[in-house]
Amino acid sequence: MAPASSMEKIKEFLNSQIYDDDKWAVNSKLLGAAGLFAGSILFMRNFGDLMAI
Amino acid sequence: MGSSVSHAAAPPPPPPAGLAVALPPKAEEKSEKKVDYLNLPCPVPFEEIQREALMSLKPELFEGLRFDFTKGLNQKFSLSHSVYMGSTEVPSPSSGTIKVPTAHYEFGANFLDPKLMLIGRVLTDGRLNARVKCDLTDNLTLKINAQLTNEPHFSQGMFNFDYKGKDFRAQYQMGNNAFYGANYIQSVTPHLSLGSEVFWLGHQRKSGIGFAARYNTDKMVATAQAASTGIVALCYVQKVSEKVSLASDFMYNHMTRDVTSSFGYDYILRQCRLRGKLDSNGCVAAFLEERLNMGVNFILSAEIDHRKKDYKFGFGMTVGE
């Protein structure tokens, strides 16, 4: 077998993380929390003045 | 009359060059100001690296009734009486946590001196908390924390030695259960400080190491912490104005696969302080401290966990400073 190229290794890794139920439960929480964190930082930096009194 | 005419014609006013000329060079001076790496500011203590975020995002939410009364006997000594009636969460093996109704009265005594601070609290359920903070020299501080309980093997004690250098801080900790820890934080630039900590648990033969970084300017503070126990914590605080700050934090625990992110606000107004937060676990909380009168504060606390359908509301009063 030819050695797996790095692109295939990445795809294999992503598939194993997405299609496995237990791992996806953890990964979806991780993505949600990271999205909330990054989104709130963007909101604070760009629109923080809207919340000022 | 030539002289009078020449006097009448007032000399031309000095050109308004004073102000106009002063401003641009000042701005240039500021941007060219070189960083003096030998005169960096002293960093915050390692355990307070996330203090702005903790102040905004972690108010003392409670469920039930809370009443605190602090009476100062003289400038240095004061007594405090606290009553609490409500539910506390107790971890249970079967279904996570269960709520246990508790009520206790707490008596406390505080002695506050510039060099020595003694705080003691004793509760009706048999617990005793004691804290000592003593400035041994200008740079060396000793802190002792002790919590004694009725139940055997649940008492804890900790000794901390803090050394404050010119642009660094170092701390050494010793606790019961053969716990030894040390941490060090150093200012690297006027805005950035880096630190690290190590600890050793004697009874379980476990050790760990952690690293932390803190970047702060006038308007924002960003910190990141990672430890070999599998914990990664990031936080960001934006000071929008003198009265308002917004904070956000992210915590990931690799061992328990637990991840939490929250976004909160902190409004510090003349008559009240309002803090609220929104969580990635579907939890919304708010905490209000309203100043009714000099020294009298009314407290409202609310925490709604939509996912677990857990609703906690509390109210209370604080009298005295």
Side-chain angles (χ1 to χ4, degrees):
Chain A
M1 280 284 290
S5 72
S6 54
M7 202 53 209
E8 283 173 16
K9 280 187 196 158
I10 293 173
K11 281 189 196 164
E12 211 180 289
F13 172 70
L14 282 176
N15 283 340
S16 74
Q17 295 292 321
I18 294 176
Y19 292 114
D20 181 351
D21 275 341
D22 294 333
K23 285 192 189 158
W24 177 241
V26 174
N27 287 332
S28 69
K29 274 204 292 180
L30 187 61
L31 281 174
L36 177 65
F37 184 64
S40 61
I41 292 183
L42 287 171
F43 173 76
M44 281 190 268
R45 288 190 71 92
N46 297 328
F47 305 111
D49 293 333
L50 291 176
M51 301 209 30
I53 294 186
Chain B
M1 307 309 150
S3 55
S4 67
V5 165
S6 65
H7 281 143
L19 200 59
V21 168
L23 277 178
K26 226 175 173 177
E28 281 169 27
E29 224 180 275
K30 238 179 164 174
S31 58
E32 281 175 17
K33 194 167 123 183
K34 287 192 70 154
V35 173
D36 186 358
Y37 284 102
L38 297 175
N39 270 332
L40 293 172
C42 198
V44 299
F46 190 89
E47 62 263 13
E48 287 180 32
I49 206 167
Q50 293 193 339
R51 69 173 168 204
E52 285 89 358
L54 289 175
M55 278 196 323
S56 298
L57 291 174
K58 305 253 190 301
E60 287 175 8
L61 300 166
F62 61 97
E63 180 177 17
L65 164 77
R66 204 180 102 182
F67 178 75
D68 295 325
F69 176 62
T70 307
K71 170 82 179 167
L73 297 182
N74 63 28
Q75 241 185 355
K76 297 190 179 186
F77 190 65
S78 60
L79 298 176
S80 78
H81 307 267
S82 285
V83 173
Y84 174 74
M85 292 190 239
S87 316
T88 43
E89 306 224 297
V90 172
S92 92
S94 55
S95 57
T97 57
I98 48 170
K99 282 198 197 182
V100 173
T102 49
H104 61 73
Y105 162 72
E106 178 190 273
F107 174 72
N110 312 319
F111 176 79
L112 293 153
D113 193 51
K115 292 216 161 195
L116 177 65
M117 181 183 90
L118 304 169
I119 292 184
R121 300 267 182 278
V122 64
L123 286 91
T124 47
D125 53 11
R127 279 182 289 160
L128 174 83
N129 293 339
R131 283 176 52 193
V132 175
K133 182 175 163 216
C134 176
D135 289 342
L136 300 173
T137 71
D138 271 344
N139 294 333
L140 185 63
T141 305
L142 164 67
K143 290 198 270 206
I144 307 175
N145 283 340
Q147 278 155 9
L148 309 177
T149 58
N150 265 338
E151 301 148 46
H153 305 302
F154 270 81
S155 303
Q156 297 174 14
M158 182 92 85
F159 281 78
N160 297 342
F161 290 93
D162 298 344
Y163 183 77
K164 178 176 146 181
K166 193 151 163 274
D167 58 2
F168 69 92
R169 285 191 201 245
Q171 185 185 61
Y172 175 65
Q173 297 172 304
M174 279 190 308
N176 71 333
N177 290 336
F179 171 83
Y180 300 98
N183 62 53
Y184 179 82
I185 183 164
Q186 167 86 48
S187 275
V188 170
T189 74
H191 297 296
L192 178 67
S193 41
L194 303 174
S196 108
E197 62 171 347
V198 293
F199 69 86
W200 161 257
L201 280 162
H203 287 183
Q204 292 149 4
R205 295 264 184 260
K206 263 206 275 192
S207 67
I209 187 167
F211 296 98
R214 178 184 157 108
Y215 182 83
N216 70 338
T217 65
D218 289 336
K219 299 254 165 168
M220 56 79 104
V221 176
T223 68
Q225 265 185 298
S228 68
T229 49
I231 295 186
V232 173
L234 312 169
C235 82
Y236 181 86
V237 179
Q238 178 93 15
K239 193 172 163 187
V240 170
S241 77
E242 283 304 320
K243 301 180 188 176
V244 182
S245 50
L246 304 172
S248 171
D249 92 324
F250 175 87
M251 232 264 301
Y252 174 63
N253 189 338
H254 191 67
M255 299 295 167
T256 62
R257 298 269 181 229
D258 191 28
V259 58
T260 306
S261 168
S262 59
F263 168 67
Y265 56 86
D266 185 356
Y267 282 76
I268 304 180
L269 307 171
R270 249 182 319 125
Q271 299 285 86
C272 78
R273 181 173 184 184
L274 175 63
R275 285 177 272 184
K277 72 166 192 213
L278 165 68
D279 219 318
S280 66
N281 294 331
C283 188
V284 181
F287 191 81
L288 169 72
E289 290 157 284
E290 176 91 23
R291 206 185 85 150
L292 299 179
N293 207 341
M294 178 72 194
V296 179
N297 285 346
F298 178 62
I299 305 175
L300 285 175
S301 158
E303 189 180 353
I304 299 178
D305 192 338
H306 291 287
R307 211 167 278 180
K308 293 187 206 156
K309 304 244 188 288
D310 186 16
Y311 313 115
K312 296 188 215 159
F313 297 96
F315 67 99
M317 203 115 163
T318 309
V319 181
E321 318 78 46

